[in-house]
Amino acid sequence: MLDIKRIRNDFEATKERLGTRGVAAEELDHLKALDENRRELIQKSEHLKKHRNEVSADIAEKKRNKEDAQDAIAAMKKVGAEIKAIDADLELLEEQVNAVAAGLPNLPHPSIPVGADEESNIEVRKWGKPTEFDFEPQPHWDLGTSLGILDFERGAKVARSRFLFYRGLGARLERALYNFMLDLHITEHDYEEIIPPYLANDDALYGTGQFPKFKEDVFQIKNQPLTLIPTAEVPLTNFYQNEILEEKDLPKYFTALSPSFRSEAGSAGRDTRGLIRLHQFNKVEMVKFAKPEDSYDELEKMTNNAEDILQKLGLPYRVILLSTGDTGFAAAKTYDLEVWIPAQNTYREISSCSNTEDFQARRAMIRYRKESDGKVDYLHTLNGSGLAVGRTVAALMENYQQKDGSIKIPEVLVPYMGGVKEIRRT
RNA sequence: GGAGAAUUGUCCGAGUGGCUUAAGGAGCACGCUUGGAAAGCGUGUAUACGGUUUUCCGUAUCGAGGGUUCGAAUCCCUCAUUCUCCUCCA
């Protein structure tokens, strides 16, 4: 949520910046008109309420003195009705203001490239070189199926397409990876380990920005006000929903493994095979609560934390700075990490690290009390994947495949695999 | 799932329709007092929105949302959470 006062006071500049994210100018003009209307009604209503409070005090006084107050009561009856009518209009208007305001994306950070889509993204850096093979590398779904460690057919049978069973060393590999990731974050990167709820209510989803605009992207529980989380960012960020933190306690770092459930509406036909695009996948998430002045340093650190995992696993990747048009709804600035996927001969997103500044904090009412003057202000929230586990399995299988279709296990994972050094057909 | 109790400010806690503008206490901040400290005394101590602007003024907020009333912390309804007991269960 953007600050309505900021939109009001810096109207033209805000309009222009949101324009780079595809927000129509008319939408802001509409918002401005609604806001002016709203403030007018607030003043009307509050004047009447002031009047009512004063007269009510008089009535109380008269009653105590056993005097007659019928005239005043009759007059206030009318005023009461008037207030009710104005407040009803006001409520309607506020709903409209909120509906427009809640649908506006975050303001893009000045450092990010302006552009309509991913064409304008910038490659910031690259680590490693695309893996070279002296044979034709297989896609991970073929490797996984022939090794008997990934079973997509039965996943579709039991749930539907885009679900799978991991079996045997496949399941173990997934578990090894997320344990490795969590251990790294809690021992070397100072995150606190969390196990969050995997269902969240509407307030939480509103807080992080999924609701009201992106309801189609999630699975909601029938007859319950609960939704399967599309990312652990939702419960982790909302951990401090409606709370005021002390400045000395910032920054706070949380990490959690969770399944992520996504309906993938509108992506029919894209990445239909393999582990790249599923309705349910595991992800280790990182979330930070930071002071505004530190949040961009924290974003760099968080991105490095995610990179650290890829480096230790020896997976080649590049870091992409997203353009205004490609940046997600809640984010002011986002780095994507893209890992090399040999069979597709391309880099694919495996992590996304964002600073949402006070956009989510404003929605979820997460604030902190400043040491200097004791005043309360919104803090900044950040989130990043560290990493998407399923896609890491895919990248690892493809980059570490050997000519005979077996898969080598990287050094750092061997202890997590109980000493297993490679996965081969038995 | 069933029965009962509770939810008031940073914390404790009073408050069953109007002298409550939420008593009282604790904590915290500042000041007075002191050689210094403690005690004591005094002053202050929320958030949001609107108006004004570097001061103020107003409105709202007593778990959340509705209702009754000229007027609600207080009465009514719905919901949430917590606790106790029963039931069930990993």
Side-chain angles (χ1 to χ4, degrees):
Chain A
M1 180 77 83
L2 299 175
D3 184 0
I4 187 83
K5 284 181 201 157
R6 178 180 185 156
I7 297 177
R8 196 186 294 152
N9 296 335
D10 197 16
F11 187 70
E12 290 307 321
T14 306
K15 188 151 109 176
E16 197 184 317
R17 286 175 71 192
L18 285 179
T20 67
R21 303 204 53 175
V23 177
E26 298 80 61
E27 213 168 329
L28 282 167
D29 293 334
H30 183 214
L31 183 64
K32 192 181 180 187
L34 288 172
D35 178 52
E36 278 165 11
N37 211 334
R38 170 179 155 268
R39 281 183 294 155
E40 211 171 288
L41 282 190
I42 285 174
Q43 287 186 52
K44 255 196 203 170
S45 169
E46 289 191 349
H47 276 128
L48 287 172
K49 280 175 185 166
K50 185 186 177 187
H51 182 223
R52 181 178 68 183
N53 286 344
E54 286 165 356
V55 177
S56 281
D58 290 347
I59 293 171
E61 174 90 33
K62 281 185 176 148
K63 290 272 182 183
R64 276 197 300 275
N65 298 333
K66 307 269 190 251
E67 289 171 36
D68 178 67
Q70 276 317 305
D71 290 352
I73 288 176
M76 281 310 99
K77 208 164 191 164
K78 272 189 197 159
V79 172
E82 209 177 327
I83 290 172
K84 211 170 202 174
I86 292 172
D87 281 353
D89 288 348
L90 188 58
E91 198 185 322
L92 232 73
L93 209 49
E94 275 180 343
E95 272 169 29
Q96 292 178 59
V97 170
N98 284 339
V100 178
L104 293 175
N106 202 351
L107 284 170
H109 190 263
S111 69
I112 79 177
V114 174
D117 50 37
E118 69 273 10
E119 292 299 313
S120 308
N121 293 347
I122 292 173
E123 182 182 303
V124 179
R125 59 184 169 270
K126 210 177 224 171
W127 186 90
K129 282 189 187 131
T131 316
E132 285 176 22
F133 298 90
D134 52 9
F135 57 93
E136 186 66 26
Q138 296 183 61
H140 65 276
W141 52 84
D142 286 343
L143 289 164
T145 305
S146 56
L147 286 168
I149 60 172
L150 303 178
D151 191 335
F152 295 97
E153 274 186 35
R154 289 197 175 94
K157 178 176 73 177
V158 171
R160 59 150 125 149
S161 67
R162 294 194 194 276
F163 286 90
L164 84 149
F165 286 92
Y166 287 81
R167 299 185 69 175
L169 288 176
R172 180 118 196 216
L173 177 60
E174 171 102 0
R175 181 159 60 91
L177 273 169
Y178 62 62
N179 282 334
F180 164 69
M181 293 176 192
L182 286 169
D183 283 350
L184 192 64
H185 290 323
I186 64 175
T187 59
E188 292 186 26
H189 302 152
D190 292 327
Y191 289 79
E192 178 180 348
E193 182 173 0
I194 304 278
I195 299 178
Y198 299 149
L199 294 170
N201 61 30
D202 290 1
D203 285 347
L205 284 141
Y206 177 82
T208 33
Q210 282 79 17
F211 283 7
K213 220 178 169 181
F214 304 101
K215 282 196 176 175
E216 300 71 33
D217 297 340
V218 296
F219 290 111
Q220 295 188 264
I221 306 296
K222 199 173 183 180
N223 299 328
Q224 296 277 346
L226 290 167
T227 299
L228 284 159
I229 56 171
T231 160
E233 171 196 343
V234 175
L236 290 184
T237 303
N238 281 287
F239 184 88
Y240 286 122
Q241 179 204 91
N242 265 310
E243 292 191 34
I244 298 172
L245 309 191
E246 296 299 327
E247 179 172 352
K248 65 175 166 50
D249 295 332
L250 297 177
K252 286 250 180 218
Y253 295 0
F254 287 165
T255 187
L257 161 76
S258 85
S260 301
F261 300 95
R262 301 190 179 175
S263 72
E264 293 298 341
S267 64
R270 276 164 59 198
D271 304 313
T272 50
R273 307 192 67 186
L275 295 166
I276 300 297
R277 194 174 299 277
L278 296 165
H279 288 309
Q280 176 196 322
F281 60 95
N282 285 318
K283 179 159 58 67
V284 171
E285 184 74 3
M286 305 174 282
V287 159
K288 290 186 175 187
F289 303 86
K291 288 189 270 182
E293 61 268 31
D294 297 336
S295 67
Y296 280 95
D297 288 341
E298 295 291 351
L299 176 63
E300 297 301 320
K301 280 165 70 181
M302 179 184 268
T303 308
N304 292 338
N305 295 155
E307 288 177 70
D308 196 17
I309 292 169
L310 288 170
Q311 291 179 12
K312 288 192 160 64
L313 291 173
L315 292 170
Y317 68 90
R318 60 181 189 180
V319 181
I320 304 291
L321 175 59
L322 299 190
S323 74
T324 53
D326 205 25
T327 300
F329 181 73
K333 181 173 183 173
T334 299
Y335 290 113
D336 273 5
L337 300 184
E338 297 183 341
V339 69
W340 180 250
I341 299 285
Q344 295 181 7
N345 199 39
T346 185
Y347 289 95
R348 293 299 304 258
E349 179 186 341
I350 195 165
S351 170
S352 190
C353 299
S354 302
N355 184 1
T356 77
E357 298 188 2
D358 65 3
F359 188 85
Q360 292 178 327
R362 199 175 286 284
R363 289 175 160 240
M365 288 292 282
I366 308 170
R367 294 169 294 174
Y368 76 110
R369 192 176 299 279
K370 287 186 269 189
E371 265 164 8
S372 54
D373 55 5
K375 291 286 177 203
V376 174
D377 200 4
Y378 295 105
L379 47 71
H380 283 191
T381 65
L382 299 92
N383 64 82
S385 9
L387 310 160
V389 184
R391 287 186 181 184
T392 309
V393 169
L396 197 149
M397 287 173 67
E398 293 201 12
N399 283 284
Y400 281 87
Q401 64 180 292
Q402 302 174 94
K403 195 167 188 176
D404 61 0
S406 66
I407 292 156
K408 207 173 146 238
I409 302 297
E411 279 300 308
V412 290
L413 277 191
V414 172
Y416 287 93
M417 291 293 288
V420 172
K421 291 195 165 70
E422 60 176 18
I423 300 175
R424 58 173 60 250
R425 191 162 182 85
T426 46

